[in-house]
Amino acid sequence: MIAPLPRPTALRVCALYPDLMNIYADRGNLLVLERRCAWRGIPFELSSSGLGEQLDADAHDLFYIGGGQDRDQELCAEDLIATKRDGLHAAAARGATILGVCGGYQLLGHSYTLGDEEIPGVGLLDVRTVREDGPRLIGNVAIEVSLDGDAERSRVLAGFENHGGRTRLGDGQAPLGRVLKGYGNDGRSGQEGAITANTIGTYLHGPLLPKNVWFADWLIARALGIGAGELAPLEDELERETHASARHAAGV
Ligand code: GLN
């Protein structure tokens, strides 16, 4: 008989600006984290930090910031610098997991430049984004990723992208993955997203996690400080079909 896996303590998630940085089903990503914890009997706590609110670096294991329109993003950027930058750096330094999607990804970098204006980011990822002339980068996308602590050597993340900004990585910055189909960071480099320790940015929108539950589990495990293999397996038939269909949509 296999001994039951030890039950991890609660996963404490903090959504940053859930009302402003929340387009393309970002709430669905949080719901996937909540459900996959609940199905395993892992207590789940969701809180939020909005405009003007300080951030307690020690009170959360996973921080989530979703996508946003340029206007809302600008509003959040100012606030992020004023009230949350130090807290986020402290959280990253103690190993908390931080996930930024699209506009949220851009804000985890150094800057987002729109014409003459440079919107500063928190600088957790060594990336810079510029809104150049040219079309928005829109469509289904699939990338190949290899993540620390994942039993598989490489896996596919499949999703949808829609961004005007083009993101360039600094010299030592690792991308999250290699573009198989779609545009990725800038439509040219073949790179998508960025990862430094447990801080991750990607252009793959919500529903990123519904389409890639293996990645949701990797995030949960990281945030709990356990190996992904220590999470109880779930019956993922529907989730596997969802992943296959997202890959199919991207042509991979
Ligand atoms: N405003 C950013 C851009 O267009 C991000 C968009 C988004 O989050 N979908 O590049």
Side-chain angles (χ1 to χ4, degrees):
M1 201 181 116
I2 302 169
L5 295 167
R7 185 168 289 189
T9 51
L11 180 71
R12 302 165 305 162
V13 175
C14 179
L16 303 180
Y17 314 106
D19 46 347
L20 292 167
M21 299 296 284
N22 173 26
I23 48 177
Y24 294 107
D26 284 305
R27 282 161 55 96
N29 284 331
L30 297 170
L31 204 57
V32 167
L33 296 173
E34 189 267 320
R35 289 282 79 207
R36 295 186 75 77
C37 284
W39 288 330
R40 296 179 166 115
I42 302 170
F44 181 89
E45 294 165 18
L46 177 63
S47 48
S48 64
S49 186
L51 291 178
E53 290 170 350
Q54 298 293 327
L55 185 145
D56 182 349
D58 293 324
H60 313 285
D61 312 300
L62 194 156
F63 294 85
Y64 180 84
I65 178 162
Q69 310 283 353
D70 288 342
R71 192 169 24 93
D72 293 332
Q73 208 171 315
E74 204 171 334
L75 211 61
C76 293
E78 271 174 42
D79 185 77
L80 206 55
I81 300 294
T83 66
K84 299 176 187 52
R85 176 171 52 189
D86 295 347
L88 276 177
H89 276 268
R94 72 164 179 81
T97 299
I98 302 172
L99 174 64
V101 171
C102 202
Y105 165 34
Q106 295 169 344
L107 292 184
L108 292 181
H110 296 299
S111 57
Y112 178 33
T113 306
L114 287 148
D116 297 338
E117 198 189 355
E118 186 173 287
I119 302 174
V122 290
L124 276 170
L125 295 170
D126 185 15
V127 308
R128 291 181 190 278
T129 302
V130 178
R131 180 79 164 86
E132 290 168 3
D133 289 340
R136 295 184 68 80
L137 307 179
I138 304 174
N140 292 302
V141 53
I143 66 171
E144 183 185 36
V145 298
S146 317
L147 296 172
D148 278 357
D150 183 12
E152 306 275 328
R153 206 162 41 86
S154 85
R155 299 218 210 205
V156 171
L157 278 177
F160 186 79
E161 61 185 324
N162 179 356
H163 49 109
R166 270 75 167 160
T167 298
R168 307 262 146 68
L169 308 190
D171 284 344
Q173 176 65 59
L176 174 62
R178 181 175 73 85
V179 174
L180 298 172
K181 277 286 163 65
Y183 298 104
N185 281 336
D186 60 0
R188 286 191 286 266
S189 62
Q191 299 175 326
E192 203 294 312
I195 180 165
T196 298
N198 290 350
T199 299
I200 299 134
T202 178
Y203 274 118
L204 273 62
H205 276 293
L208 166 69
L209 300 185
K211 288 178 175 171
N212 303 279
V213 291
W214 72 264
F215 186 53
D217 283 353
W218 183 85
L219 291 167
I220 291 169
R222 278 269 137 165
L224 291 172
I226 60 173
E230 291 177 66
L231 289 173
L234 297 175
E235 241 181 64
D236 276 336
E237 204 177 318
L238 193 61
E239 287 78 358
R240 273 192 288 273
E241 277 175 34
T242 305
H243 180 71
S245 138
R247 285 179 69 143
H248 181 72
V252 171

